[in-house]
Amino acid sequence: MKIRMGAGIRAVPALAAVGLIVTLLAGGRAGAVAATVTRYEEVKGWPSLPPDVHLGEVAGVSVDSNGHVLIFHRPGRGFDLKETTKLTEPTVLEIDANTGKLLSSWGANLFLVPHGISVDKQNNVFLTDVSLQQVFKFTHDGKLLFALGEPRVGAWDATHFNEPTDIAIRPDGTFYVSDGYVNSRVALFDRNGKWVQEWGKKGSGEGEFSNPHGLVFMPGNTDVLVADRENSRLQLFDRLGNFKRQWTGAKDAQTTGRIFCVDADSEGFFYVGIRRADYDKEHTGVLKLDRDWNIVTSIGFGKPGDPVFDAVHDIAVGPDGSIYVAETRTKRVVKLRRLE
C-alpha cells in the first residue's frame, strides 16, 4: 500500500480482470500462471476536484496511514528539466479515497519537476524532484523537515543525486532512494538523511540498472524490490543490496515492457505498472503478481472493457485493495476498485 514500510476467466463488461494464457519467467525459470483471478472496475469520476483545481502530469501517488490518497503532480508543466521557475500552484493533493474530494493541498512555490512520493509510518511525506536534484522530507501538512542534495546540481556522491525517482521508508525511519534517470544506483540513508551505502551502476547485468524508477519492500521481510525501468524488469535485493532474483515477464507477451512502478499489499501481492512505449495503449497497463511472481490479474493492455492506459507512471494500493494508477501525459489518477 505504498506507505512503503515494510479460477477461471469471466468476461464482465467494464471489469479489469482476466486470466492470462502466458508463461512467466520468474527468477530465470518458467512458472505457471496462478489460477485465482481478482476482478477490478474503474471508478468513474474519481477524483472529484473543485472547478479551480486541475491536475497536471501526475508523477506520483501514495496512500497514507489514514487511507487518504496523496497525489504529486506538475500543474501546468511537463517533464521539462530546463525550467527554472518553481510551480506556483499546490503540487501535493490529499484526496479522500471514497469520495474523491480534495481534503488539503500544499507544495506551491517549492518544486520544479515533481516525481516520486512516499509516506512513512508517522505520515511524513517524502518527495523527489528530478530538476531540483533533491529528496525532501515533509510533515503531513507540508512543513519541511529536511532536504538532501544540492539544488539543481546533479552528481554521484553521498550528498548529491542526479534525477532521483522514488523513495521507500522502513519503520525505523531509514530509507532508500532510487537515483535515477542519470545515476544508476539505489542509495540507503539513515533516519536523519545521512548516506549509509549504495549499490548499482549503469548496465543490464545482475545488480545493474537502467533508470531505477520505483521501489517497494517485500511484505514480511527486509528485501528491496526495484523497478528497473529501461531494462524492463524487477530486481530483488536483500536490505544491503545483494542481488537475489529478477522478473522479466514472458518473452514477447503483450503484458511485457518497461516497468515504471511497483507496489505491494499486506497479503503479499505485487502491483506492477507497465508501459512498453509512450502512447502504446496495447502494451500499457497494470499487472498483479502473487508471492511466486505469477500473474494473477492484468488490467488494460488494450483489452475490451478494461480501462485504457496511456502513460502509467506510478502506482499505489489502498488498505481496501483499491489500486491507484498515476499517469503523466494524460494528467490523471485512475482508481480501480477491487470486486470480491
Side-chain angles (χ1 to χ4, degrees):
M1 54 189 287
K2 207 173 173 189
I3 293 178
R4 286 191 170 170
M5 301 181 301
I9 302 173
R10 178 185 176 189
V12 182
L15 297 186
V18 297
L20 295 177
I21 312 304
V22 297
T23 301
L24 306 182
L25 293 177
R29 300 186 302 276
V33 175
T36 302
V37 174
T38 308
R39 298 180 296 124
Y40 293 86
E41 66 176 358
E42 181 178 358
V43 179
K44 300 294 186 179
W46 194 100
S48 178
L49 300 176
D52 60 340
V53 177
H54 303 282
L55 287 179
E57 292 192 349
V58 184
V61 63
S62 191
V63 178
D64 68 15
S65 61
N66 301 313
H68 298 163
V69 180
L70 274 70
I71 292 171
F72 197 31
H73 74 129
R74 308 164 185 159
R77 182 165 297 167
F79 191 82
D80 187 352
L81 301 182
K82 296 180 181 179
E83 284 283 358
T84 58
T85 303
K86 292 183 178 179
L87 294 162
T88 58
E89 297 179 36
T91 53
V92 179
L93 308 180
E94 182 181 358
I95 309 293
D96 184 278
N98 295 317
T99 66
K101 301 296 184 182
L102 179 65
L103 299 174
S104 67
S105 63
W106 51 272
N109 302 304
L110 292 175
F111 302 104
L112 290 175
V113 182
H115 201 278
I117 181 169
S118 295
V119 185
D120 70 11
K121 188 176 181 181
Q122 289 74 39
N123 265 349
N124 298 308
V125 181
F126 287 70
L127 303 166
T128 68
D129 187 312
V130 290
S131 188
L132 281 173
Q133 310 284 19
Q134 289 183 283
V135 174
F136 303 88
K137 180 181 179 180
F138 289 88
T139 63
H140 197 265
D141 58 357
K143 296 182 177 65
L144 181 64
L145 297 175
F146 63 65
L148 305 181
E150 184 177 356
R152 296 192 58 76
V153 176
W156 186 327
D157 58 40
T159 60
H160 289 83
F161 304 98
N162 209 332
E163 301 180 22
T165 53
D166 202 14
I167 319 99
I169 313 109
R170 294 203 180 279
D172 64 0
T174 60
F175 61 95
Y176 297 81
V177 176
S178 50
D179 179 37
Y181 283 84
V182 178
N183 293 346
S184 300
R185 64 171 176 169
V186 174
L188 171 63
F189 297 83
D190 71 15
R191 61 184 304 161
N192 299 312
K194 181 180 178 182
W195 181 93
V196 176
Q197 70 167 89
E198 66 181 57
W199 72 89
K201 64 178 182 178
K202 184 75 170 181
S204 58
E206 295 180 356
E208 299 175 346
F209 303 109
S210 182
N211 193 357
H213 199 261
L215 298 169
V216 75
F217 298 126
M218 295 287 283
N221 61 43
T222 60
D223 290 346
V224 184
L225 192 59
V226 182
D228 186 8
R229 191 179 109 173
E230 298 304 308
N231 283 324
S232 300
R233 65 181 176 178
L234 296 171
Q235 290 198 76
L236 180 66
F237 302 90
D238 69 17
R239 66 183 310 275
L240 299 178
N242 297 302
F243 175 83
K244 300 185 77 170
R245 64 185 291 196
Q246 69 176 6
W247 181 89
T248 58
K251 183 177 176 58
D252 299 325
Q254 191 163 353
T255 54
T256 299
R258 294 183 298 167
I259 298 179
F260 274 68
C261 48
V262 61
D263 199 16
D265 65 21
S266 59
E267 298 176 353
F269 292 99
F270 303 98
Y271 302 80
V272 183
I274 305 287
R275 191 202 310 181
R276 183 178 296 182
D278 294 346
Y279 307 107
D280 181 358
K281 297 176 177 62
E282 300 299 309
H283 301 91
T284 298
V286 174
L287 299 179
K288 182 177 182 178
L289 311 181
D290 65 16
R291 287 182 178 272
D292 296 319
W293 297 20
N294 298 313
I295 297 174
V296 297
T297 300
S298 72
I299 309 168
F301 301 101
K303 296 196 303 296
D306 274 18
V308 177
F309 294 105
D310 193 308
V312 170
H313 195 266
D314 198 15
I315 193 167
V317 183
D320 65 349
S322 294
I323 306 170
Y324 300 92
V325 183
E327 291 211 312
T328 48
R329 292 175 175 85
T330 55
K331 302 177 182 179
R332 64 177 185 159
V333 178
V334 178
K335 179 178 179 178
L336 302 169
R337 180 191 292 123
R338 185 172 67 179
L339 301 176
E340 300 301 336

